[in-house]
């Protein structure tokens, strides 16, 4: 979470440390997540990992709670409870699932423990989502974002999305929609009569190859923007050789469950341009802040050229240089390609300032004489 620079003696916060600080997650919990968090996990493993958070270390197992916990496993826990009610982490897992399921508790101690767990559950889920997002894990980011919304709405990701409007729709109708697997796309294609018949009667009868996120950003769509027509978002993603068959663009709501859109972009007939010439302006700034970027670009292009056996021509432009020969060697430029222009060919006259420092010794004091010579070349 922190890095120590031996040369400067300074401490630097890592990306993981920033996430933990933002969501107030203990460092011991972050250590636990580093051990248990994997690129591919199922729902039960996620709940178990959250149950191991050090924020819940004060939760205790009590003998008088066992019967009620066993009942809760059967009635309010759709996921596997690892360790069972008699295990500390099993109990926490049960209470997490009861909270999302909106289950009822009778024991006062369980009510107190459930309130204590629910107070930290949202920020822990959000922190785990940010960790997976920074690591570029597409599947896990999507799964944990779903659980962030599940904790906020107290609705399981697998339940019907219309349960988010349970104040306006009766529980009986919601159960029938779930029994008939009537998702939103199916309901959108039906008219009012068909939906009524569906409710009251049973019917008669990410890069697609790699689980990696290449770009992510938060986009706020207001009512005014939605009414104004299509919105444009510009972003850049990398392409590799051989390029994949397609990329997926996925827009997911951070508030509503199962509110997302996905669009596939095919690369089957894509022809990438061949880079035969690269112009590097102000290459004399190689030692400045942009220096590392120039080094990466040139090194990458030279590596691609060596692997593809396609020559790449570099043209470097700079102001006066004292080590032009060294720079040319780094670019792979021979003596025939190295040009050093005199100031007389400049379109704008060059002003040369010469500053001389002369020290004159006197018997009582030191005097400093400075003068400059200006010449228009």
């Amino acid at each position: 979470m922190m890095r120590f620079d031996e040369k400067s003696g300074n401490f630097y916060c890592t990306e993981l440390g920033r996430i933990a600080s933002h969501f107030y997650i203990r460092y011991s919990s972050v250590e636990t997540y580093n051990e248990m968090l994997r690129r591919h996990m199922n729902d039960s493993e996620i709940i178990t990992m959250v149950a191991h958070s050090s924020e819940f270390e004060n939760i205790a197992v009590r003998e008088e709670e066992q019967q009620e916990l066993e009942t809760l496993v059967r009635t309010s826990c759709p996921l596997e409870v690892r360790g069972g009610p008699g295990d500390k982490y099993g109990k926490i897992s049960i209470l997490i699932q009861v909270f999302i399921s909106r289950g009822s508790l009778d024991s006062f101690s369980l009510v107190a423990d459930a309130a204590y767990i629910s107070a930290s559950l949202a920020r822990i889920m959000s922190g785990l989502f940010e960790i997976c997002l920074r690591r570029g894990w597409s599947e896990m980011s999507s799964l944990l974002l779903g659980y962030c919304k599940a904790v906020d709405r107290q609705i399981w990701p697998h339940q019907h999305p219309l349960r988010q409007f349970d104040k306006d729709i009766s529980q009986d109708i919601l159960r029938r929609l779930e029994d008939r697997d009537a998702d939103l796309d199916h309901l959108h294609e039906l008219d009012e009569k068909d939906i009524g018949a569906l409710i009251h009667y049973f019917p008669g009868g990410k890069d697609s190859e790699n689980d990696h996120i290449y770009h992510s950003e938060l986009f706020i769509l207001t009512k005014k923007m939605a009414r104004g027509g299509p919105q444009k978002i510009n972003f850049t993603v990398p392409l590799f050789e051989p390029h994949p068959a397609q990329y997926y663009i996925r827009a997911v709501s951070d508030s509503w469950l199962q509110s997302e859109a996905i669009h596939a972009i095919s690369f089957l007939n894509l022809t990438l341009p061949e880079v035969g010439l690269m112009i590097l302006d102000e290459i004399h700034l190689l030692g400045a802040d942009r220096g590392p970027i120039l080094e990466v670009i040139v090194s990458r292009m030279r590596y691609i050229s060596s692997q593809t056996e396609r020559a790449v021509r570099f043209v470097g432009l700079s102001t006066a240089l004292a080590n032009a020969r060294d720079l040319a060697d780094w670019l792979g430029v021979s003596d025939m390609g190295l040009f050093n222009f005199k100031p007389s060919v400049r379109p704008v006259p060059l002003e040369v300032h010469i500053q001389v420092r002369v020290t004159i010794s006197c018997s009582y004091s030191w005097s400093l004489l400075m003068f400059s010579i200006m010449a228009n070349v």
Side-chain angles (χ1 to χ4, degrees):
M1 297 173 66
M2 298 286 292
R3 287 195 179 98
F4 176 69
D5 188 353
E6 296 182 356
K7 294 183 179 180
S8 63
N10 296 327
F11 287 92
Y12 297 95
C13 183
T14 64
E15 189 70 34
L16 197 61
R18 293 187 188 95
I19 295 174
S21 175
H22 181 76
F23 293 102
Y24 299 96
I25 299 177
R26 296 182 181 181
Y27 75 91
S28 52
S29 294
V30 176
E31 291 179 348
T32 300
Y33 304 152
N34 277 336
E35 295 176 359
M36 302 183 66
L37 187 60
R38 302 190 307 276
R39 194 182 190 100
H40 301 286
M41 300 174 65
N42 58 35
D43 299 54
S44 178
E45 292 171 334
I46 290 177
I47 298 298
T48 301
M49 177 181 62
V50 174
H52 280 75
S53 302
S54 60
E55 283 79 0
F56 308 140
E57 61 184 6
N58 294 325
I59 299 296
V61 177
R62 303 176 182 87
E63 184 66 28
E64 61 272 16
E65 301 170 346
Q66 293 303 301
Q67 184 175 356
E68 184 176 355
L69 287 173
E70 292 176 357
T71 302
L72 291 171
V73 171
R74 296 190 300 268
T75 59
S76 303
C77 295
L79 303 179
E80 175 190 1
V81 177
R82 301 193 176 186
D87 180 72
K88 172 183 177 179
Y89 303 117
K91 174 185 175 180
I92 298 173
S93 176
I94 293 172
L95 294 180
I96 291 174
Q97 297 190 55
V98 169
F99 173 77
I100 299 176
S101 300
R102 305 185 187 185
S104 59
L105 299 170
D106 296 329
S107 173
F108 177 78
S109 59
L110 287 180
V111 172
D113 288 342
Y116 180 78
I117 291 172
S118 62
S120 302
L121 194 56
R123 57 185 176 84
I124 290 176
M125 287 293 187
S126 299
L128 288 170
F129 163 69
E130 288 291 337
I131 292 173
C132 293
L133 187 63
R134 295 295 180 269
R135 293 180 179 180
W137 293 356
S138 175
E139 181 181 329
M140 280 299 298
S141 297
S142 177
L143 187 58
L144 282 166
L145 178 58
Y147 270 100
C148 290
K149 294 182 283 188
V151 171
D152 180 55
R153 301 282 178 179
Q154 288 187 271
I155 299 171
W156 288 98
H158 63 265
Q159 290 182 304
H160 201 281
L162 289 181
R163 282 191 175 273
Q164 297 169 99
F165 306 96
D166 55 351
K167 293 181 180 180
D168 303 314
I169 305 176
S170 68
Q171 293 295 318
D172 181 57
I173 292 178
L174 291 172
R175 281 194 297 269
R176 293 183 182 185
L177 289 174
E178 290 174 342
D179 292 340
R180 292 154 177 77
D181 294 327
D183 57 18
L184 292 180
D185 292 333
H186 185 200
L187 294 176
H188 182 71
E189 297 173 354
L190 303 177
D191 56 25
E192 296 179 359
K193 294 181 179 180
D194 293 333
I195 294 177
L198 179 67
I199 293 175
H200 294 93
Y201 304 99
F202 282 94
K206 359 150 195 123
D207 181 350
S208 59
E209 298 179 357
N210 299 290
D211 176 37
H212 188 79
I213 298 174
Y214 294 114
H215 175 81
S216 64
E217 66 176 274
L218 180 64
F219 177 72
I220 299 177
L221 182 65
T222 63
K223 291 183 179 179
K224 183 178 180 180
M225 294 168 61
R227 294 168 181 170
Q231 304 296 318
K232 294 182 179 180
I233 303 177
N234 297 323
F235 56 89
T236 304
V237 295
L239 285 179
F240 306 96
E241 288 286 356
H243 52 260
Q246 59 188 357
Y247 274 6
Y248 286 132
I249 298 179
R250 190 175 185 183
V252 185
S253 170
D254 64 347
S255 301
W256 298 98
L257 285 163
Q258 299 187 32
S259 176
E260 60 183 72
I262 189 169
H263 179 72
I265 298 179
S266 176
F267 294 148
L268 294 178
N269 299 319
L270 177 66
T271 301
L272 296 178
E274 296 183 4
V275 179
L277 173 64
M278 176 165 287
I279 300 177
L280 305 170
D281 193 15
E282 296 183 337
I283 201 172
H284 57 277
L285 297 177
L286 190 62
D289 294 339
R290 61 183 293 188
I293 300 176
L294 290 174
E295 291 184 11
V296 170
I297 292 174
V298 173
S299 301
R300 180 65 177 171
M301 293 306 300
R302 294 191 67 180
Y303 174 76
I304 294 175
S305 176
S306 64
Q307 296 297 314
T308 60
E309 298 182 354
R310 299 175 182 173
V312 178
R313 183 184 180 189
F314 293 97
V315 176
L317 307 175
S318 75
T319 184
L321 287 173
N323 59 338
R325 178 68 269 167
D326 296 336
L327 195 58
D329 292 338
W330 176 64
L331 290 173
V333 178
S334 62
D335 292 336
M336 294 183 60
L338 180 60
F339 300 93
N340 190 8
F341 300 98
K342 296 181 180 180
S344 59
V345 302
R346 293 174 55 93
V348 180
L350 178 66
E351 294 183 349
V352 180
H353 295 262
I354 303 176
Q355 192 175 61
V356 181
R357 183 186 180 98
V358 180
T359 304
I360 302 176
S361 177
C362 299
S363 58
Y364 297 102
S365 62
W366 293 85
S367 299
L368 184 64
L369 174 63
M370 300 185 66
F371 63 94
S372 64
I373 303 175
M374 180 178 294
N376 291 328
V377 181

